[in-house]
Amino acid sequence: MTDMTDINALETAADPEKLRRVAIEPLTRVEGHGKVSLLLDEENRVKQARLHIVEFRGFEKFIQGRPYWELPVLVQRLCGICPVSHHLAAAKAVDQLVGVDQPTPSAEKMRRLMHRGQILQSHALHFFHLSSPDLLFGYDDEVAHRNIVGVLAEHPDLAKQGVLLRKFGQEVIHFTAGKRVHGTGAIPGGVNKSLSLSERDKLLADIDQVIEWSQGALDLAKRIFFEDLENNRRFARIETNMLSLCGDNGALDLYHGGLRAKAPDGSFIFDKVDYRNYGDYIREQVKPWSYMKFPYIKSLGSNEGAYRVGPLARINNCDVIPTPLAEAARVEFRAFSGNGLVQSTLAYHWARMIELLFCAEAIKVLLLDSDITGNNLRTKGEMRDEGIGVIEAPRGTLFHHYRINEDGLVTQANLIVSTTNNNRAMNQSIRRVAADHFDGRELSEPLLNQIEVAIRAYDPCLSCATHALGKMPLEVELVDAEGTIIGRLHKDGSRIVSRCSL
């Protein structure tokens, strides 16, 4: 197996113009648009492997000048899969702008319920619909069969459970946010509604079945992992640090907590860090071949400071899960690693289903809490000019950072989304696959699919992750009715590079 030094060397080839280029475009069964490019020599040895984010959305720029109270609703348009995560991260930042550090118990519990519904539906979608074709049928199965239609045909009960689990999560979102997609439940300083008794009772009627299905999904993910243990342990495996929020006493907390980072041996890099000070611990790097940033832990530098976020990091990092079934699953998961952290990339699926079960159990706890139907929903404070909200989205730690002026208009915004935090790790994982499986072999669709399998394990949301480099090149061509180019303007940032008439 190639060591990590060689993996990092595959980021940039020495003589790219002399190499053959292979592109996997578009990436399938992921949210958003991206591609992978491989450069190979004459003997099919991989010399360069990169994950490219090819779409640009620019939310950090165009929300500037908007009033702060629009942010929780506006920024969730980043994504139709995880809008609740952006809605709540922005709401937590806006709470600080209006001087609220702690919402009322009813408001916080409504937000937590909304968020758990979001993670449950997102995890169900990813596991059952996007990843299960690879896990159930194998990486080299016929492409016409290796999809959700194949799952429906051969495992109809499993596919149905995935649909119904996601439906339940969407119902939780509907009752807490007002709509299943792009709701308005969180407002500055709190929420705009609590659960009615009829809404609570409707969710309670189904929750025990949801918990049972979630336990079954966890058992399936674990069984699949152990059926081909050595391959699943090694496939796309890299050694990285892990970053997540942790609640009081190191408990798994997907809504709030302090930042915790662990080294591969399980030792702490930092712990119980107020996430409003994230800039002291995390630095962002940009590279010219992707619209996605490359964050790293500041104290370790850009190479050693790579980290992973999401279910794998959260289950590795936490000391306890505050629900009984998920906690038993966490103990078993952590025992698998022996010493240190579980680093197997395909263990993301196992960890994701532990969180699915936790969310189902935690939803029931909240539904039985009297605060969830309470009426004290909002509080106020003194205005501030800066707010930072951090939350654990389905795919990992999500940062929203805003500054406003005296008129309440946004002057600066910075978003570090979950997939961005995983960017270095995803690139390292595809290089791991390329180095282990590609060298000297004739490329085929099943072989190229292994690259996508590695990426899908992270459940990336590529739409959320796009980011400008500060210089957004633009080329405009003027074409006449016959299709002839009669003029061209090329612009780089704010500087016109060339203008010509033809």
Side-chain angles (χ1 to χ4, degrees):
M1 185 178 289
T2 310
D3 64 27
M4 190 55 66
T5 301
D6 292 330
I7 294 298
N8 290 332
L10 293 181
E11 178 177 321
T12 303
D15 299 301
E17 66 281 352
K18 298 179 181 179
L19 302 172
R20 179 165 64 98
R21 182 177 182 273
V22 175
I24 305 173
E25 184 179 13
L27 296 172
T28 58
R29 285 186 273 133
V30 297
E31 294 88 9
H33 301 283
K35 69 178 180 181
V36 170
S37 68
L38 305 172
L39 296 183
L40 299 91
D41 65 14
E42 294 178 352
E43 298 178 354
N44 279 341
R45 291 191 298 256
V46 178
K47 297 298 182 181
Q48 179 176 295
R50 290 174 172 177
L51 168 64
H52 305 266
I53 307 305
V54 297
E55 58 181 334
F56 171 71
R57 307 197 72 179
F59 265 71
E60 290 164 312
K61 189 66 178 177
F62 71 66
I63 60 177
Q64 292 182 21
R66 305 303 303 176
Y68 71 87
W69 57 84
E70 290 184 352
L71 291 173
V73 173
L74 182 60
V75 296
Q76 64 181 327
R77 263 64 181 187
L78 269 165
C79 184
I81 299 297
C82 48
V84 170
S85 301
H86 292 290
H87 182 58
L88 292 177
K92 291 177 71 177
V94 170
D95 285 347
Q96 293 171 38
L97 294 176
V98 299
V100 174
D101 293 317
Q102 180 61 54
T104 67
S106 290
E108 179 169 323
K109 289 172 185 177
M110 278 291 287
R111 289 185 182 184
R112 286 179 176 271
L113 181 60
M114 187 193 309
H115 190 43
R116 286 164 183 168
Q118 155 69 8
I119 291 181
L120 188 146
Q121 68 87 19
S122 180
H123 281 359
L125 170 66
H126 179 262
F127 181 74
F128 289 97
H129 298 160
L130 303 183
S131 290
S132 68
D134 298 314
L135 303 176
L136 294 171
F137 304 139
Y139 311 155
D140 56 354
D141 186 50
E142 289 292 330
V143 68
H145 179 252
R146 194 180 64 235
N147 51 50
I148 186 57
V149 177
V151 176
L152 283 165
E154 296 202 24
H155 303 277
D157 291 340
L158 187 67
K160 181 180 178 181
Q161 286 180 20
V163 170
L164 293 177
L165 277 169
R166 184 162 192 252
K167 180 183 178 182
F168 180 83
Q170 293 288 69
E171 281 296 286
V172 172
I173 296 169
H174 178 206
F175 291 153
T176 53
K179 294 194 299 180
R180 291 175 179 85
V181 180
H182 298 152
T184 60
I187 58 176
V191 296
N192 59 16
K193 72 180 294 290
S194 60
L195 278 192
S196 68
L197 292 177
S198 62
E199 290 169 338
R200 182 201 64 184
D201 292 343
K202 183 176 181 180
L203 295 174
L204 277 173
D206 295 328
I207 189 60
D208 288 333
Q209 179 66 77
V210 167
I211 293 172
E212 181 181 334
W213 284 338
S214 300
Q215 179 69 68
L218 169 60
D219 293 341
L220 174 61
K222 185 173 60 177
R223 176 172 61 80
I224 289 172
F225 189 86
F226 279 94
E227 280 179 349
D228 190 7
L229 179 59
E230 287 311 306
N231 176 69
N232 291 333
R233 188 199 300 268
R234 294 194 310 266
F235 182 83
R237 186 182 187 277
I238 57 175
E239 294 278 336
T240 65
N241 310 298
M242 302 284 179
L243 175 75
S244 69
L245 293 177
C246 278
D248 294 339
N249 301 319
L252 178 68
D253 194 326
L254 303 175
Y255 178 77
H256 194 65
L259 288 173
R260 170 180 283 186
K262 284 185 179 180
D265 64 2
S267 62
F268 289 111
I269 302 170
F270 52 78
D271 190 25
K272 298 180 181 178
V273 167
D274 186 332
Y275 60 64
R276 291 173 293 187
N277 299 322
Y278 78 95
D280 295 335
Y281 297 87
I282 295 172
R283 180 164 290 176
E284 302 171 70
Q285 184 182 28
V286 294
K287 299 189 179 186
W289 45 268
S290 178
Y291 286 135
M292 187 156 58
K293 295 179 285 188
F294 292 79
Y296 60 91
I297 294 173
K298 189 175 177 180
S299 62
L300 300 179
S302 59
N303 288 327
E304 298 299 321
Y307 57 86
R308 288 194 267 191
V309 298
L312 185 66
R314 292 189 290 246
I315 303 303
N316 269 308
N317 274 3
C318 71
D319 300 326
V320 65
I321 296 179
T323 58
L325 296 177
E327 168 59 8
R330 182 200 69 85
V331 171
E332 183 178 9
F333 181 87
R334 292 292 286 115
F336 171 71
S337 67
N339 297 319
L341 307 180
V342 178
Q343 295 282 2
S344 302
T345 296
L346 291 183
Y348 259 104
H349 301 299
W350 181 4
R352 191 171 286 116
M353 292 303 96
I354 295 175
E355 290 190 346
L356 182 83
L357 179 58
F358 163 66
C359 285
E361 291 184 281
I363 285 170
K364 183 174 183 178
V365 172
L366 283 170
L367 292 175
L368 295 173
D369 191 317
S370 60
D371 284 334
I372 210 71
T373 57
N375 295 317
N376 186 12
L377 303 179
R378 188 179 183 189
T379 188
K380 297 180 181 180
E382 297 295 323
M383 289 295 298
R384 304 170 186 164
D385 63 3
E386 184 177 23
I388 300 172
V390 179
I391 201 167
E392 285 294 336
R395 291 148 189 86
T397 317
L398 169 64
F399 298 81
H400 279 232
H401 185 177
Y402 306 110
R403 294 183 185 273
I404 60 173
N405 62 19
E406 62 275 8
D407 297 319
L409 303 180
V410 177
T411 59
Q412 182 180 342
N414 185 44
L415 310 181
I416 310 178
V417 307
S418 313
T419 299
T420 300
N421 283 310
N422 274 331
N423 192 11
R424 289 177 186 274
M426 288 191 296
N427 272 278
Q428 289 178 349
S429 288
I430 66 171
R431 291 169 194 145
R432 171 86 282 147
V433 172
D436 289 350
H437 301 284
F438 280 40
D439 273 356
R441 299 180 64 183
E442 191 66 33
L443 296 186
S444 62
E445 190 282 330
L447 195 60
L448 293 174
N449 182 53
Q450 294 191 39
I451 290 281
E452 296 191 71
V453 169
I455 293 171
R456 287 188 204 111
Y458 291 89
D459 187 19
C461 187
L462 306 179
S463 298
C464 295
T466 58
H467 178 83
L469 300 179
K471 296 181 179 180
M472 188 63 186
L474 174 70
E475 185 168 276
V476 178
E477 293 179 339
L478 181 62
V479 182
D480 65 17
E482 284 73 38
T484 303
I485 298 174
I486 59 177
R488 180 181 291 115
L489 174 68
H490 181 81
K491 185 177 181 181
D492 187 359
S494 61
R495 180 171 61 89
I496 294 177
V497 176
S498 64
R499 185 198 307 251
C500 64
S501 298
L502 303 177

